[in-house]
Amino acid sequence: MNYTGPPADDMTTSNSTEMSSAPVGATASQIPDLLKIGSVDTNTAISVDSDILDPVISNPNFMRYRLQNKGILHSNSKLTFSVEASGGVDAFYPLNVGVMSLIERCRLSIGTKTLCETQDFAHFSGFRSMFVNPEHNKQRESVTTSRQMCRKWNYNNGANASTNGSESNNQAEDFIIDIGRDPDNFGVNFENQNVELFNYQLIENKPVFQIPLSELFPFLKMNQLPLYMLKEEVTIELFFQTDNGNRACIGTAGTADQTYTINRDDCALVADYIYYPTEMMEAYANANRNMSFSYVDYRLARHTINGLNGEVNTQILNVGGAGRVVNKLFFGLSTSGNGEEKLFNNYSAHGVEDAEVTGVATDGYGTFTHNVKYNDNLLYPVDINNTARIFHNISQAEGGVPFISKSEFTSEGDLVSVSNFMGRTLTNTLDNEQFYVEDRLNRGERINSRGIELYNTWNYLQDEEASRNYTMRCWLEVVRFATLSDGFMTIGFA
């Protein structure tokens, strides 16, 4: 399997290996916050014990793992997966979410209480994956999670580059996907060049990929679970995608309608338990018999949106949130049905079309108008219809710019190459397929009983196929709290 040891960047350990030595017996007032993510500001002994746990319940569409109540659970502990295709070749995981396409829903529970739960996790990851550094995708994620989204400029280098205007070794008009190997340029026009995945990334070779627990459960991004202080069982439940057509993608040489079966022998939880000196851990537990955690969780609302082929489609949609403290929300439109023939499968967000798609030059680019209403007030005094402003709102809400191009966001700019990846044309997958909308609710108020309403107008939203609609998935980031008291956890909303 692809697990490479305890995942903390500031630790280099093997099982039960001490990090450093220092005197023990510190008093409670001298003890650092052992549950804080990051380095501990002290010179003390730390050891990491790694267990490879099998699921206690396993069937083709569900698995449950049970953690041992010992040590402190490292948030970057890993779940490993592989699948076996029923036949054919050229099957691979979606480029933007990787192996996360297997998971439809995940839940972290303590006793009978749900600490974190994420629905439509693969679609949720489609948005979160935009903020993963492309270099990180190429150098690490392509091996660990099978995310491949790294771009490079497409220089049409050829023997006649100096004399042929269609070939150049110093100018590039568009980009292709960079997985660390050059495209096949021999015997084809440069517009028909093709990039092929490495053999170890193809499902036919049964690669084992992994997902960190912190990707599945937002609680673990900011906190580590003190398992040794809990008197209740901690369980992880995974509900797998039941539609085989949404588990993987196929190249043009692949076999359609394959069955992708979870390989039980390669599924495991690699749990890393952190240990400090016994006296320090006991002193920390005694000094923190009542401990509170504040964290965010995500609640999903779904709506079906019809593509109207040029007609204005205006929707006022209630996405919930009544009585909750909501920091922000984000949503996108994805197509329904089988997505095997798309490089992202269905884990993308479709925007309005441009004039080339509509076929009517006077249409220009389609427009999307947006606003949010909660607590009887509109978030924006004037409705937003500028895509640059919508992109800016994402950056403001997330505190960082998504790693996508203008063409991927709105299909403007013609930056995506017409070349192929696994035989699939890049423009058909990347153009206009990352149009997510995000809003930060900036008043810090609790949402009233009416909930949050989205005011959206799509013009022009194409009906891709006569019988296919769009599903709008909107996630609300709600504030929750958990209180650990004498080994028992109480969980609620802020």
Side-chain angles (χ1 to χ4, degrees):
M1 61 181 63
N2 290 330
Y3 179 71
T4 57
D9 292 336
D10 56 348
M11 297 181 183
T12 305
T13 66
S14 58
N15 290 0
S16 300
T17 301
E18 288 198 348
M19 299 296 299
S20 59
S21 60
V24 297
T27 64
S29 61
Q30 298 172 318
I31 298 174
D33 188 351
L34 303 183
L35 305 185
K36 184 178 179 180
I37 300 291
S39 59
V40 176
D41 187 18
T42 184
N43 182 24
T44 188
I46 304 173
S47 61
V48 178
D49 181 23
S50 296
D51 287 350
I52 299 179
L53 305 176
D54 291 325
V56 294
I57 297 177
S58 175
N59 63 53
N61 296 320
F62 175 79
M63 281 186 185
R64 176 183 293 158
Y65 294 88
R66 182 175 298 143
L67 292 163
Q68 300 182 54
N69 288 29
K70 63 179 186 179
I72 299 171
L73 178 67
H74 198 293
S75 294
N76 277 344
S77 298
K78 304 292 195 299
L79 284 159
T80 64
F81 304 94
S82 77
V83 300
E84 186 169 354
S86 59
V89 295
D90 257 14
F92 54 95
Y93 295 108
L95 301 187
N96 59 333
V97 300
V99 74
M100 299 175 196
S101 64
L102 299 179
I103 299 178
E104 193 276 330
R105 180 159 58 99
C106 54
R107 180 165 59 216
L108 174 63
S109 301
I110 298 179
T112 58
K113 302 170 287 293
T114 299
L115 183 65
C116 268
E117 182 175 16
T118 305
Q119 293 179 304
D120 281 359
F121 175 75
H123 288 276
F124 176 85
S125 297
F127 174 77
R128 301 306 319 170
S129 295
M130 291 196 306
F131 299 92
V132 180
N133 191 304
E135 293 182 1
H136 194 70
N137 276 337
K138 176 183 176 181
Q139 297 169 6
R140 181 172 176 82
E141 294 291 314
S142 61
V143 178
T144 57
T145 65
S146 194
R147 285 191 284 209
Q148 311 284 342
M149 285 309 295
C150 182
R151 303 152 186 84
K152 70 176 180 180
W153 290 111
N154 184 26
Y155 295 98
N156 293 334
N157 297 328
N160 301 317
S162 61
T163 58
N164 188 339
S166 65
E167 299 176 11
S168 173
N169 57 14
N170 59 11
Q171 296 181 23
E173 297 179 352
D174 48 35
F175 65 79
I176 58 177
I177 302 300
D178 181 14
I179 63 169
R181 68 191 312 179
D182 290 328
D184 179 10
N185 286 332
F186 293 99
V188 299
N189 296 324
F190 284 110
E191 290 186 353
N192 297 322
Q193 60 188 351
N194 187 47
V195 176
E196 296 279 343
L197 287 167
F198 292 99
N199 286 337
Y200 74 86
Q201 295 167 327
L202 298 175
I203 289 178
E204 63 186 283
N205 298 315
K206 302 178 185 177
V208 179
F209 293 107
Q210 62 189 26
I211 304 175
L213 293 186
S214 57
E215 291 269 6
L216 292 164
F217 307 112
F219 174 89
L220 296 177
K221 285 187 177 293
M222 300 299 296
N223 305 282
Q224 296 182 136
L225 271 179
L227 297 176
Y228 79 105
M229 297 172 61
L230 296 173
K231 297 178 181 177
E232 300 174 286
E233 289 184 346
V234 179
T235 57
I236 293 172
E237 295 180 339
L238 305 174
F239 300 81
F240 295 115
Q241 175 63 251
T242 55
D243 188 340
N244 272 282
N246 294 136
R247 286 188 173 186
C249 307
I250 55 172
T252 52
T255 304
D257 300 322
Q258 296 189 53
T259 299
Y260 304 99
T261 305
I262 304 291
N263 192 336
R264 168 64 183 79
D265 293 337
D266 290 329
C267 293
L269 169 58
V270 184
D272 295 324
Y273 303 96
I274 302 173
Y275 293 91
Y276 296 88
T278 302
E279 295 87 348
M280 179 177 286
M281 296 183 71
E282 289 179 353
Y284 185 83
N286 291 332
N288 295 277
R289 291 189 179 276
N290 294 291
M291 185 184 304
S292 295
F293 304 89
S294 179
Y295 63 102
V296 297
D297 204 1
Y298 293 89
R299 290 293 176 265
L300 172 65
R302 296 190 195 94
H303 291 276
T304 298
I305 307 294
N306 295 321
L308 297 179
N309 278 340
E311 299 179 27
V312 177
N313 189 339
T314 299
Q315 302 277 345
I316 301 176
L317 305 171
N318 191 300
V319 293
R324 309 297 185 214
V325 177
V326 181
N327 291 333
K328 56 189 176 184
L329 60 88
F330 59 89
F331 65 88
L333 298 183
S334 62
T335 53
S336 58
N338 191 318
E340 275 186 307
E341 297 181 356
K342 301 177 181 178
L343 297 176
F344 283 2
N345 205 293
N346 287 337
Y347 308 118
S348 58
H350 197 78
V352 292
E353 306 293 351
D354 60 20
E356 290 184 6
V357 176
T358 66
V360 181
T362 56
D363 282 351
Y365 284 94
T367 58
F368 172 74
T369 305
H370 169 67
N371 213 329
V372 181
K373 186 176 183 179
Y374 69 102
N375 291 355
D376 303 320
N377 292 297
L378 290 172
L379 178 61
Y380 307 108
V382 178
D383 291 350
I384 298 175
N385 60 9
N386 186 301
T387 55
R389 174 69 187 278
I390 293 173
F391 188 87
H392 169 78
N393 289 345
I394 297 176
S395 303
Q396 288 293 102
E398 291 295 323
V401 179
F403 294 98
I404 59 175
S405 68
K406 187 175 184 179
S407 294
E408 294 169 86
F409 190 61
T410 63
S411 78
E412 300 176 31
D414 294 329
L415 295 174
V416 182
S417 173
V418 295
S419 301
N420 298 323
F421 189 98
M422 298 297 291
R424 303 289 181 190
T425 305
L426 285 178
T427 51
N428 293 342
T429 286
L430 299 185
D431 261 0
N432 201 25
E433 290 292 343
Q434 298 279 275
F435 188 75
Y436 290 96
V437 181
E438 185 171 19
D439 302 288
R440 182 177 60 185
L441 308 187
N442 54 18
R443 291 195 287 265
E445 302 172 359
R446 186 179 301 277
I447 308 300
N448 64 17
S449 59
R450 188 171 178 175
I452 300 173
E453 294 176 332
L454 301 181
Y455 288 69
N456 295 329
T457 299
W458 287 273
N459 178 28
Y460 173 105
L461 184 63
Q462 185 188 30
D463 184 3
E464 280 198 341
E465 297 176 11
S467 61
R468 179 173 295 182
N469 295 319
Y470 296 92
T471 299
M472 190 192 85
R473 291 175 172 84
C474 180
W475 286 270
L476 307 181
E477 185 181 279
V478 299
V479 180
R480 303 192 70 185
F481 72 88
T483 302
L484 178 59
S485 180
D486 292 328
F488 295 92
M489 191 76 83
T490 303
I491 302 168
F493 289 93

